[in-house]
Amino acid sequence: FLEFAHPGVSKGTGLQVVAELLGFGAAETVACGDGENDRELLDWAGFAVAVANAHHDILARADLVVPSVTDEGVAVLLEAYLDSLA
């Protein structure tokens, strides 16, 4: 497996561009990740979420760890958030 990308391009810079287009910043952003290619994404977001089976470096960066991918951890997070709005 081999990936090529411009050194200045990452999931984090992509999220930053989208956030700016939508009118919000890092402080209002939650990002979820599991792999090494999610480092910049979680570092940029104001709140970093990792699934339980994430790479050890991603787990160390997380503000919150949710259940694993196989246990639908991100769905659990979203459902809990939506329930809190009710």
Side-chain angles (χ1 to χ4, degrees):
F1 183 73
L2 184 62
E3 288 185 356
F4 291 95
H6 186 277
V9 175
S10 70
K11 289 183 180 182
T13 57
L15 180 58
Q16 181 179 6
V17 167
V18 171
E20 289 172 357
L21 288 171
L22 295 174
F24 57 93
E28 299 92 22
T29 305
V30 175
C32 302
D34 66 345
E36 293 178 87
N37 63 344
D38 294 323
R39 282 186 185 111
E40 294 87 356
L41 177 77
L42 298 183
D43 288 347
W44 186 83
F47 193 79
V49 178
V51 292
N53 61 317
H55 185 274
H56 63 87
D57 185 51
I58 299 305
L59 290 168
R61 294 168 189 269
D63 297 304
L64 174 68
V65 177
V66 296
S68 70
V69 170
T70 56
D71 292 327
E72 300 178 346
V74 175
V76 170
L77 170 71
L78 294 173
E79 288 172 354
Y81 173 72
L82 292 173
D83 287 345
S84 76
L85 299 176

